[in-house]
Amino acid sequence: MTNTHPSDVPFYLWVILAAILFTQSTILFINARRNGHNYWLWGMIGLLNFPTATLLYLIFAKRMPRRLWKRQ
């Protein structure tokens, strides 16, 4: 088993990873805002990891009825 240090990873892979996370975050932000959810929260969660944030959004924000998210 080899140990890899983050500095051993090529720079272009870091750029690709950053682009994927930024794109995911932007899409979640826009979609959550359009559907009336907490868009800043989903945008920040989208920056953390891929694709778990998108899966969580699809499970919690898209599947749950809107009336459960609205405050009374």
Side-chain angles (χ1 to χ4, degrees):
M1 180 186 250
T2 61
N3 292 332
T4 36
H5 195 268
S7 63
D8 296 337
V9 178
F11 181 72
Y12 69 89
L13 288 179
W14 289 111
V15 172
I16 291 171
L17 177 64
I20 289 172
L21 290 175
F22 184 73
T23 302
Q24 172 184 259
S25 176
T26 303
I27 290 170
L28 288 178
F29 181 89
I30 292 169
N31 199 317
R33 190 164 134 188
R34 186 179 311 139
N35 293 319
H37 299 294
N38 191 348
Y39 49 92
W40 282 107
L41 173 70
W42 287 110
M44 291 297 150
I45 291 174
L47 287 174
L48 295 177
N49 54 23
F50 176 81
T52 308
T54 302
L55 295 174
L56 288 174
Y57 179 76
L58 290 173
I59 291 170
F60 290 110
K62 287 293 197 175
R63 299 259 178 178
M64 296 189 71
R66 181 174 269 190
R67 62 186 150 93
L68 294 178
W69 290 93
K70 289 189 176 184
R71 294 185 182 150
Q72 296 177 359

